[in-house]
Amino acid sequence: LGQNENGSLLEGASLMTEGSPWSGDTWGYKCFDGDVNTSADLINPSNPRLGINFGVSCYIAEVRMIPRCAGQYGAGRISGTCVIGSNTDWNNGTQISGSLDYGNWDIVEWKTLTCDTSIPYTMAYTYKNGESCGNFSEIEFYGWYVSDMEGLTDPVTDLTAVTECGKQISVSWNCTG
């Protein structure tokens, strides 16, 4: 969502960042550049937020993240990060995932947080309350746009037919589960 296959932001989407970068105001783009060798590093990484304003409503199914490096200053710093969805701004979001439990600080690998898809959001971001979590190398959002669902109808759940010999056959099923 919000990115092409190379990690670049799609037209209509915009980067959302909050934190104090080491160099300039473009630090957050390093998390969405498709390059696991670049990263967003902050001078003061307390309460940083990294995300995308998709520009349209979408359902966020999961978010994949990878730290910038192993050890104390990489993987360990992103443990406890969660995903927030919002339709307005930074301050009116809802936590839509569990918290990232990175576990072994000496391993650099992709981790996935599964998100609640019951409500569409126009923006989503990673967040860790009050602690350092500015050491991401890449962040990827997955889901679908609400506009992709327009025109689709619910599947038939009851069907009745009459056979050639006049017998009626009825079939019902639960399409939600």
Side-chain angles (χ1 to χ4, degrees):
L1 291 171
Q3 301 162 262
N4 65 21
E5 62 277 357
N6 298 320
S8 300
L9 294 177
L10 295 175
E11 184 176 337
S14 59
L15 180 68
M16 297 172 55
T17 63
E18 184 172 84
S20 302
W22 281 104
S23 58
D25 60 354
T26 60
W27 67 276
Y29 282 100
K30 292 180 180 179
C31 285
F32 304 100
D33 64 1
D35 184 353
V36 296
N37 296 308
T38 62
S39 62
D41 192 13
L42 302 172
I43 295 170
N44 179 5
S46 181
N47 292 318
R49 303 177 216 202
L50 296 166
I52 297 178
N53 182 333
F54 304 106
V56 294
S57 290
C58 55
Y59 294 94
I60 298 111
E62 65 182 30
V63 178
R64 293 181 65 219
M65 297 164 272
I66 192 168
R68 72 176 181 151
C69 61
Q72 175 181 346
Y73 300 109
R77 284 187 172 177
I78 66 174
S79 287
T81 298
C82 66
V83 179
I84 306 291
S86 178
N87 286 311
T88 56
D89 57 47
W90 288 122
N91 301 313
N92 292 300
T94 302
Q95 185 171 334
I96 59 174
S97 76
S99 293
L100 185 65
D101 178 12
Y102 213 89
N104 187 340
W105 286 20
D106 296 324
I107 297 175
V108 174
E109 63 185 355
W110 285 97
K111 294 288 185 174
T112 301
L113 285 175
T114 303
C115 300
D116 176 5
T117 59
S118 63
I119 298 173
Y121 294 100
T122 57
M123 59 187 75
Y125 54 91
T126 61
Y127 179 70
K128 182 176 176 183
N129 188 22
E131 294 183 39
S132 170
C133 83
N135 287 318
F136 287 105
S137 177
E138 289 295 310
I139 301 172
E140 297 176 344
F141 292 89
Y142 292 89
W144 59 94
Y145 296 102
V146 170
S147 60
D148 291 344
M149 304 299 290
E150 291 174 1
L152 296 178
T153 59
D154 290 332
V156 176
T157 57
D158 295 303
L159 179 64
T160 302
V162 179
T163 65
E164 288 181 10
C165 60
K167 294 189 176 189
Q168 182 173 320
I169 299 172
S170 296
V171 178
S172 297
W173 65 90
N174 178 349
C175 64
T176 61

